[in-house]
Amino acid sequence: MPHAVIRFLAVFLVLAAVPAVAGQSLDLGRYKELRNDYVKVTDIKERERFEERYVDTGGKVTLQKVPYKEVMITAEMVQRPPSSMDTMFAGDAAQPFLKICMAPFDAAGKALDESCGTFKFQSFVRGNIGTATFRLEADMARYEFHMIQRQGDKGSTIKLWVPTN
C-alpha cells in the first residue's frame, strides 16, 4: 500500500512539472487591468521558439536552429467591436481597442522602444479567443503590458472658407 502512494505522488509531481517546462505562465494578478470594453487578457506565457538562421562559425556559414524567446498573450472577446468603413479598409490600425502594447526595460531600468500588437481573432464574436505575440530581445531585463486607450473626439470639424460677395 505505501508503494502505491509513493508511485502516485511521483506521477503527480512529474505531471505538475510538465506545464512549467512547456511554457512559463506569468502571474496574472498584476495584469488584471489588461482589459477594455472589447477584450480581456486571460493568459500571458513566455515560451522558447526556434528559427533557422545562417550562422558564421569559424569562417564557415551553416544553417542552424537558433533559439529565441517570445511572450504569447491570450485574450477573450468580451464584446463585439464596432465596425465601420474605416475598419474594413484600414486594417489593424483602425482597431485600437484590439491592441496591446509591451514596454520593455533594460537592466538599469531605462525604458526601451515600446511595441504594440493586435490580437488575432478568427471572427469578432463574443467569447472568441485571440492571441498576440511579442519577441523578447536580449537587452530586455523586464517588460510591462498596457492596453491602448481609446482616443476621444479629435476636435471640432474644420470649417472651409467660402468666398462671399
Side-chain angles (χ1 to χ4, degrees):
M1 186 75 145
H3 294 292
V5 172
I6 292 172
R7 281 190 211 144
F8 173 75
L9 288 175
V11 169
F12 177 75
L13 290 174
V14 168
L15 290 177
V18 169
V21 173
Q24 180 183 358
S25 185
L26 301 176
D27 178 29
L28 277 178
R30 61 186 181 157
Y31 294 117
K32 286 186 179 182
E33 71 275 359
L34 291 178
R35 62 180 309 143
N36 60 24
D37 294 340
Y38 304 101
V39 294
K40 83 173 175 183
V41 172
T42 57
D43 192 27
I44 299 174
K45 277 188 185 172
E46 277 187 15
R47 61 184 184 175
E48 188 172 67
R49 308 284 291 189
F50 294 92
E51 68 181 357
E52 290 186 345
R53 193 182 318 163
Y54 287 102
V55 179
D56 185 6
T57 53
K60 184 177 180 184
V61 177
T62 58
L63 185 63
Q64 296 179 0
K65 286 190 176 187
V66 179
Y68 68 93
K69 286 192 172 191
E70 72 177 9
V71 177
M72 185 174 77
I73 305 166
T74 306
E76 178 184 352
M77 183 152 308
V78 177
Q79 175 183 340
R80 182 184 173 153
S83 64
S84 66
M85 293 299 277
D86 290 342
T87 60
M88 288 175 58
F89 295 110
D92 291 343
Q95 298 278 4
F97 25 78
L98 299 182
K99 286 189 173 186
I100 187 165
C101 294
M102 180 177 72
F105 297 90
D106 64 7
K110 180 183 171 198
L112 303 172
D113 290 336
E114 183 176 278
S115 62
C116 297
T118 303
F119 289 108
K120 306 293 184 212
F121 291 97
Q122 295 235 339
S123 61
F124 295 128
V125 178
R126 185 173 185 240
N128 201 357
I129 303 296
T131 60
T133 57
F134 293 91
R135 187 174 181 141
L136 299 179
E137 301 300 329
D139 57 346
M140 286 185 198
R142 67 180 181 90
Y143 51 86
E144 295 176 1
F145 290 100
H146 67 87
M147 300 295 285
I148 289 184
Q149 299 299 318
R150 246 178 113 177
Q151 299 298 318
D153 189 9
K154 294 181 181 171
S156 60
T157 58
I158 298 173
K159 295 182 180 180
L160 298 176
W161 178 77
V162 179
T164 57
N165 289 341

